[in-house]
Amino acid sequence: MLQALKDAHHPLRRNEILAALKVKKEAKRALKEILKSLEEKGKLIRTKGGTYGLTQNMSLITGTLEIQRSGVGFLLPEDKRRKDVFISPNNFGDAWNGDRVVAALIPTRKGKNPEGRIVRILDRKNREMPVRLIKRLGPDMFVSHPTDTTMQINFMVDTQELEDEPQVGDIIFAKPGEKLDAKLWAADATVFLGAETSVAVQEGMVKMLHGIPQDFPSATVEEAQALPDEPSEAEFEGRRDMRETQFVTIDGASARDFDDAIYVRPENNGHRLFVAIADVSHYVQPGSALDQEALERGNSYYFPTSVEPMFPVELSNGLCSLNPNVNRLAMVAEMFVSPKGKITEEQFYPAVICSHARLTYDQVHSALELNDDATRTELAEVLPMLESAEKLARQLNALRKDRGTLDFEIPEPLISFDDNGVPDDIQPRKRNFAHQLIEEFMIAANEAVARFLEDRGEPALYRIHPSPDADKLRNAFKMLRHTELGQLIPDGAGPSIIPELLHAATELGMDFIVGRLLLRSMMQASYSPMNDGHFGLASESYCHFTSPIRRYADLIVHRALKAATGKGPHCVPQGDALQEIADQISGRERVAMRAEREILKRVTILFLQDKVGEDFTGIINGVADYGFWVELNEIMAEGSVRLSSLSDDYYAFIPERQEIWGERTKKRFFIGQPVRVYLSDVNLSRLEITLELIQGKKAAFKRNLRRQIQPSTHGEEARQRQKHRFHPKKRH
């Protein structure tokens, strides 16, 4: 059909398409279905005259509308060879942020991006959306506004189907209906969430806004529930019986799904490393309901107080989790590491194991690094094995650093909650060598499997990470030449000097500024059927094998490994089909990352609501023409200082130096600079944390005044908290 339209060189009606294809009128119903499918895919567009034309030949582009906080939008084309298309708010039509749309190009725009207007909405991002109730019109009718501040419309929401009684200020899900006028739509309430200040409500909003699946389809649940609670003896046939091998798991204290277990023993002045990974592929067959849902999700999604797993809990926390003292099926990567730290032998096979202990990172740290007698006594049975593991992990880590692995040491936030589920602190997540120990063994196993699959030409998915963006890296080097590191950066320097720069920066105490600058030049890692290497790990061949409970890519790799070792069928797709899977799970990974960043920002704002007016110290971690960002020291949070809040001078942004200069005072603001600030405002709707520099007595007076009159916008509960937020330990 597409070829017929290409050959015609102009749009055709349905009957003309039938004639061009030389098929009978009885095929008209099938024709309509195909046309509808091609329309939904954005390949065809139906004109007002009833003809069908090729989207690509009508100056039309299919893609996703992304609306910026400033109000303007960009169409992100599905054809990655095209540039993003600028969309003015006047040309959105009825399209909303995240919708899949068709845009017509406007030939008049001059500038970096072409300009377009939305002519067709192919698919709404959200069939339902979270809204904030802002005014009651009747017993079951409210005016509401989307929590997505890019949507400048209101909804009249009918709430009669809700079991709970909503109040003004509550968050609900609403299903948009008909358009009532330019800025007003009808909607029906579908789910009650509750008070906006609740972390659970914020998590529900983020899941909805990012399209993160929550409930499993009934077919998927039925398949999971039909599986046994424990593997049977019959399933052990053809597997190595390693139940007596002293495998242990090492994870965080709150972990519930255990993908991996490790065992190390000394051998011939070297070490033999065993990495056992849950054999999810034994239970999840290609094309099954479990498999299809896992592919749709792509990975598990982790939030401060909840998890949306890739598989139902019957698998993720039960049958496939390497829980202690129970039999579990596993795929084992066995490697011999020479006295010099080189892997000289590797083999892979299915096994049955029994984890001898469920250990935490803190336990292992206490036993191995702190030499705590009580912990060492508690772990006496596995302690000799752990000491061998520590020795091997340090050896592997040193070799990886020598080959050029990048280590930016950017801390992750850890949110703690009080007994009522309210966030009471946000601090950097503590890391110790126990974390590094597991990482080293997982990297070694992932590389070994990738090499094995590549050598045998088995279709699989590789984890690839391209070299840094050349322009961004050049700009970072340009700025660093103005620092003490300048002598290490010759003209024409490339990515190969990054490890040396990071090492030198750590010795000079400049790791903060150098790490942030270079990290921004990095490309995003993704999945691909083609092995293009992993720049960040300085690895020529890398894949994800070690987390099949929470990543679909690992499940594909397990199937490929079984096929390559003769332990399973050749069931991994090839060519375009495998590329589609890679694109799908890479996209879902980005969704997870965006959702994680957003919920962190939302919970941080909830935590800071009663701290407006308080002083903090911090470090500038980014600058722009309108201000700079500050990473706070006392809590792990980030806010922005706008230049408009600086009243002592006129300031200008110097992009080539990534600095802000005062015209009269010559005062500088640059990445890595310590500053003192106070929290002047937080806004949950706009996800903004606003800071101001502390600049003398006038600013202190203004800050104290703000503390006393700061208005609340978060309902009666927040107003009461506002009245009583002064704490005896706080400085006023």
Side-chain angles (χ1 to χ4, degrees):
M1 192 177 294
L2 293 173
Q3 188 61 48
L5 284 161
K6 289 179 183 177
D7 295 341
H9 301 295
H10 62 84
L12 299 175
R13 297 182 181 277
R14 276 207 301 261
N15 288 339
E16 292 173 325
I17 296 173
L18 274 173
L21 293 173
K22 297 180 181 179
V23 294
K24 297 179 180 180
K25 291 184 179 180
E26 289 78 9
K28 186 174 286 189
R29 177 177 295 179
L31 176 74
K32 289 173 67 174
E33 291 299 319
I34 296 171
L35 287 170
K36 181 180 178 182
S37 173
L38 291 172
E39 267 195 279
E40 290 174 349
K41 292 178 180 179
K43 295 182 180 297
L44 293 185
I45 190 95
R46 188 179 183 186
T47 69
K48 291 183 179 179
T51 63
Y52 293 86
L54 294 166
T55 303
Q56 64 191 39
N57 290 354
M58 300 176 73
S59 295
L60 300 174
I61 300 178
T62 303
T64 301
L65 176 63
E66 185 176 275
I67 300 176
Q68 309 291 312
R69 194 168 295 179
S70 61
V72 304
F74 287 90
L75 181 84
L76 310 182
E78 292 178 354
D79 184 349
K80 302 304 180 185
R81 296 168 297 181
R82 286 182 174 270
K83 284 186 175 182
D84 295 351
V85 179
F86 174 81
I87 309 288
S88 164
N90 296 328
N91 290 323
F92 289 168
D94 292 335
W96 301 331
N97 187 35
D99 287 352
R100 187 165 171 265
V101 298
V102 177
L105 293 179
I106 301 173
T108 56
R109 177 172 169 81
K110 296 179 180 179
K112 183 177 180 181
N113 295 88
E115 184 173 358
R117 61 182 175 83
I118 306 300
V119 296
R120 184 70 54 84
I121 300 169
L122 297 174
D123 191 27
R124 291 285 190 197
K125 176 186 177 183
N126 295 315
R127 304 289 180 175
E128 301 174 17
M129 64 182 64
V131 298
R132 182 184 302 105
L133 303 180
I134 57 177
K135 184 177 181 181
R136 185 187 288 272
L137 298 179
D140 299 312
M141 189 65 67
F142 289 82
V143 175
S144 67
H145 189 77
T147 57
D148 182 349
T149 57
T150 65
M151 297 179 64
Q152 300 303 310
I153 56 173
N154 288 324
F155 291 99
M156 286 185 62
V157 183
D158 184 342
T159 62
Q160 62 179 329
E161 296 299 322
L162 295 179
E163 294 182 5
D164 299 272
E165 180 63 32
Q167 304 295 325
V168 170
D170 282 344
I171 303 296
I172 65 169
F173 285 163
K175 184 177 181 180
E178 65 177 314
K179 185 177 182 180
L180 303 177
D181 64 28
K183 295 290 185 181
L184 185 64
W185 294 66
D188 292 321
T190 57
V191 178
F192 175 79
L193 279 181
E196 190 172 18
T197 52
S198 162
V199 173
V201 169
Q202 293 297 320
E203 289 185 358
M205 287 170 52
V206 170
K207 292 172 187 179
M208 187 69 185
L209 288 170
H210 291 273
I212 293 174
Q214 297 179 59
D215 296 329
F216 284 96
S218 57
T220 305
V221 174
E222 289 170 7
E223 278 191 6
Q225 292 178 345
L227 292 169
D229 293 333
E230 303 286 340
S232 66
E233 289 286 340
E235 292 175 290
F236 300 164
E237 186 177 348
R239 294 175 177 270
R240 293 197 190 183
D241 189 340
M242 304 184 73
R243 284 175 286 184
E244 298 303 317
T245 303
Q246 208 173 48
F247 281 106
V248 300
T249 62
I250 306 175
D251 294 271
S254 61
R256 295 292 179 267
D257 52 349
F258 309 117
D259 289 286
D260 55 88
I262 60 103
Y263 171 67
V264 178
R265 70 168 183 246
E267 184 177 306
N268 297 331
N269 296 321
H271 292 88
R272 190 163 291 273
L273 167 64
F274 299 82
V275 176
I277 306 299
D279 191 357
V280 180
S281 66
H282 177 80
Y283 301 104
V284 180
Q285 301 304 311
S288 65
L290 281 165
D291 182 59
Q292 292 176 22
E293 181 64 15
L295 174 57
E296 182 69 24
R297 294 177 177 234
N299 43 248
S300 297
Y301 302 84
Y302 295 88
F303 294 85
T305 66
S306 65
V307 177
E308 297 300 338
M310 188 172 77
F311 290 113
V313 292
E314 288 84 357
L315 274 79
S316 60
N317 292 14
L319 183 59
C320 290
S321 182
L322 304 183
N323 300 325
N325 305 314
V326 292
N327 296 332
R328 288 291 184 260
L329 305 185
M331 284 296 291
V332 174
E334 178 185 334
M335 295 154 277
F336 177 72
V337 187
S338 74
K340 294 184 178 180
K342 299 290 186 180
I343 295 177
T344 59
E345 175 194 327
E346 51 200 27
Q347 54 180 314
F348 313 95
Y349 45 84
V352 54
I353 73 164
C354 179
S355 172
H356 285 228
R358 181 270 197 263
L359 307 180
T360 68
Y361 294 120
D362 287 344
Q363 274 182 302
V364 176
H365 170 64
S366 179
L368 297 182
E369 295 189 274
L370 302 183
N371 287 308
D372 179 73
D373 290 337
T375 308
R376 291 176 69 84
T377 300
E378 181 185 358
L379 304 184
E381 182 186 349
V382 295
L383 189 59
M385 191 279 291
L386 291 176
E387 290 174 334
S388 294
E390 179 190 18
K391 182 178 178 181
L392 174 59
R394 293 190 184 280
Q395 189 177 34
L396 293 175
N397 180 250
L399 286 174
R400 278 204 310 114
K401 288 181 177 179
D402 288 344
R403 80 185 188 191
T405 292
L406 305 184
D407 189 1
F408 288 103
E409 289 292 342
I410 304 298
E412 295 180 1
L414 177 63
I415 304 170
S416 59
F417 297 85
D418 63 18
D419 293 339
N420 297 316
V422 176
D424 61 6
D425 202 4
I426 305 175
Q427 293 295 330
R429 188 182 298 273
K430 293 180 180 179
R431 278 180 58 87
N432 51 56
F433 195 76
H435 293 82
Q436 192 70 56
L437 181 149
I438 290 298
E439 287 179 12
E440 294 302 333
F441 295 163
M442 297 307 109
I443 290 172
N446 286 335
E447 289 184 325
V449 171
R451 288 192 299 267
F452 182 80
L453 293 175
E454 187 175 23
D455 288 346
R456 281 151 185 78
E458 190 70 33
L461 288 179
Y462 295 91
R463 183 66 169 176
I464 63 170
H465 183 219
S467 296
D469 180 274
D471 290 337
K472 291 180 180 178
L473 188 61
R474 196 159 37 245
N475 290 336
F477 285 166
K478 189 174 182 179
M479 190 202 143
L480 290 174
R481 284 194 180 95
H482 296 285
T483 71
E484 295 176 73
L485 296 172
Q487 60 184 357
L488 298 177
I489 310 173
D491 292 339
S496 60
I497 72 165
I498 291 178
E500 182 184 359
L501 281 178
L502 290 172
H503 178 72
T506 301
E507 292 187 340
L508 292 171
M510 296 174 60
D511 45 326
F512 183 93
I513 177 174
V514 175
R516 264 61 174 184
L517 281 173
L518 293 179
L519 189 61
R520 289 166 190 165
S521 71
M522 294 293 115
M523 301 292 282
Q524 194 166 38
S526 62
Y527 297 104
S528 171
M530 303 297 295
N531 177 27
D532 293 328
H534 195 293
F535 175 80
L537 291 172
S539 179
E540 295 181 358
S541 192
Y542 195 72
C543 71
H544 276 166
F545 159 73
T546 54
S547 293
I549 289 177
R550 65 191 85 177
R551 291 188 305 229
Y552 192 82
D554 303 54
L555 181 58
I556 289 285
V557 167
H558 274 240
R559 289 171 179 165
L561 184 60
K562 283 187 175 180
T565 55
K567 300 299 183 181
H570 294 270
C571 59
V572 174
Q574 301 185 41
D576 291 343
L578 189 54
Q579 183 62 58
E580 286 181 12
I581 292 175
D583 293 342
Q584 159 69 8
I585 59 180
S586 294
R588 295 310 298 175
E589 180 185 40
R590 290 191 287 273
V591 168
M593 291 170 61
R594 289 193 293 267
E596 183 180 321
R597 285 196 294 265
E598 181 171 334
I599 191 59
L600 174 62
K601 193 71 173 278
R602 289 180 177 276
V603 174
T604 300
I605 289 173
L606 290 179
F607 172 66
L608 291 174
Q609 279 180 350
D610 63 350
K611 295 171 179 58
V612 172
E614 290 189 17
D615 300 351
F616 297 94
T617 61
I619 298 176
I620 296 176
N621 69 359
V623 293
D625 54 0
Y626 52 85
F628 52 88
W629 291 269
V630 177
E631 193 170 308
L632 303 180
N633 294 325
E634 290 80 2
I635 56 175
M636 195 167 180
E638 177 189 87
S640 62
V641 176
R642 292 194 169 271
L643 294 187
S644 57
S645 69
L646 303 179
S647 57
D648 62 338
D649 202 350
Y650 293 111
Y651 288 89
F653 175 53
I654 314 297
E656 61 270 17
R657 297 177 65 95
Q658 287 289 294
E659 292 181 351
I660 292 171
W661 279 71
E663 293 182 8
R664 178 181 58 83
T665 61
K666 306 303 180 187
K667 189 183 294 183
R668 300 166 57 218
F669 297 104
F670 52 89
I671 296 176
Q673 178 181 352
V675 290
R676 292 179 64 236
V677 295
Y678 70 92
L679 180 63
S680 65
D681 189 30
V682 292
N683 190 298
L684 192 56
S685 297
R686 295 197 301 271
L687 298 183
E688 290 179 350
I689 298 172
T690 305
L691 306 170
E692 294 190 29
L693 281 180
I694 296 177
Q695 301 181 93
K697 295 181 180 180
K698 183 177 180 181
F701 173 78
K702 176 181 171 184
R703 183 164 72 261
N704 285 328
L705 183 64
R706 187 187 297 269
R707 283 174 172 160
Q708 299 173 45
I709 65 173
Q710 180 74 20
S712 170
T713 59
H714 304 286
E716 183 60 29
E717 179 184 344
R719 281 194 291 275
Q720 292 301 318
R721 189 166 62 248
Q722 192 81 10
K723 287 170 59 180
H724 303 292
R725 70 181 177 183
F726 290 98
H727 191 283
K729 293 183 180 179
K730 292 178 182 174
R731 183 166 63 84
H732 306 314

